Amino acid sequence: MIHENIKKKKDKLNICFVAPLPPPYGGIANWMAMMCQYLDKEKKDRIEYSIINTAPKKRVTEGRRLWNRIIDGGLDMLLQKHKLKNALKTGNVDVIHMTTSGSLSIIRDFMFCYVAGKYHVPIVYHIHFGRIPKIQKKNNVEWKILKKVLERVKSIIAIDKTTYSVLERLFDKKVCYISNPINTKLMPEQQKKSQKVVMYLGWVIKEKGIEELLEAWNQVYACYNDWKLQIVGPCKKEYYECLKEMYGMSSVEFLGEQPHYTAMQLLGKSSIFILPSYTEGCPYVILEAMSLGKAVIATNVGNIPEMLSKDCGIIIRSQNSKDIETSLKRLIDSSIERENIGTNAAHKVNDEYEIDKIIRKYTQVWELQKYGENSENKSFDDNEFP
């Protein structure tokens, strides 16, 4: 339960976010941009914030190599550390909200823990990737460094229930499960009539299941040649040429990277959205597709099974082109099922993922850190927020 002295506090929270801002666009960057927009408009009188921008200069699809990650990333990390130190010197930061995508970024996270410790400022560690069960089982170098970070932070937010269950066993009361939010007020209106389009939106890389999708689509298109597959997202030219050679692209409309609002308009006109990723956390693009009432097909990774539960989508196995083919044919054959899934999905987004509800959960985590209170409640319910 919420302690009475926390409920009565009226002074502002001052949060320092450690997160990427677009450009380039990506899951965490989109989250940060949405948070800024919401906090500036809805919570200006309650929450002040600053940002240590951790966005990389290049993405994988722009030719970002290991050398860039080590050299450029190392220099950026030192600059970001200096900015964090200066922010903490003011004494105005109540809580650091540090996001992470894992991999090499955990080295930065470990360094920031050291800086925060010197100034006695608590860190809320927000895990935006879904690989923790795998790396914990491997007990590799990434896990060992990550575990040291997890031991030093004051609170941990998991965005998928599998990650939460693994970390809860190890860190108990400091771990909570809070899904990603979506601000449906910023989304286009649902289209009354959809086009015969299956859409993929995201990075065009192997790990997103692009090759399995194209393999399956060749089989689907042979039976339904009045439908088309749209692929929207950044792609290296060399990889695109490789895909074209392997699978052909005559039945595929490849639109490349588009501004976010344009991409949402394209998504709104489609009938089916598909995300056959090998790994995910709680992908925004699925929430966006659900909010627009689309029938979603996605793999059983990260928090996707939870997101698409209660007949809100079709779950398929990762790296399985036959599952993709079967699911696409099933939905193309049944406009009624597409409509029912889309309606269920839109209702679920409004009930469970709307940003107003998620911000209340973040706020409670921040307040518990600022005021030094401990909560026995690790999986927060809306009715327990002030």
Side-chain angles (χ1 to χ4, degrees), residues 263-291:
M264 291 301 100
Q265 289 179 315
L266 290 167
L267 180 57
K269 294 175 183 177
S270 68
S271 293
I272 301 169
F273 175 75
I274 185 162
L275 186 69
S277 297
Y278 296 177
T279 178
E280 289 287 347
C282 180
Y284 276 106
V285 68
I286 286 185
L287 292 178
E288 290 165 339
M290 291 172 70
S291 76

Side-chain angles (χ1 to χ4, degrees), residues 207-225:
E207 291 76 13
K208 291 293 185 178
I210 288 294
E211 294 177 22
E212 289 84 0
L213 174 57
L214 290 173
E215 181 181 346
W217 180 250
N218 283 336
Q219 301 303 314
V220 173
Y221 186 72
C223 302
Y224 305 92
N225 57 19

Side-chain angles (χ1 to χ4, degrees), residues 245-275:
E245 184 178 340
M246 287 192 298
Y247 303 104
M249 302 292 269
S250 59
S251 62
V252 179
E253 188 176 4
F254 180 76
L255 300 177
E257 187 168 18
Q258 299 290 327
H260 185 260
Y261 191 77
T262 302
M264 291 301 100
Q265 289 179 315
L266 290 167
L267 180 57
K269 294 175 183 177
S270 68
S271 293
I272 301 169
F273 175 75
I274 185 162
L275 186 69

Side-chain angles (χ1 to χ4, degrees), residues 14 26 39 45 58 150 159 186 190 233 242 319 358:
N14 197 314
L39 293 175
D45 61 335
K58 286 184 176 181
L150 295 167
I159 63 173
L186 302 179
Q190 288 189 27
C242 180
Q319 302 183 57
I358 303 299

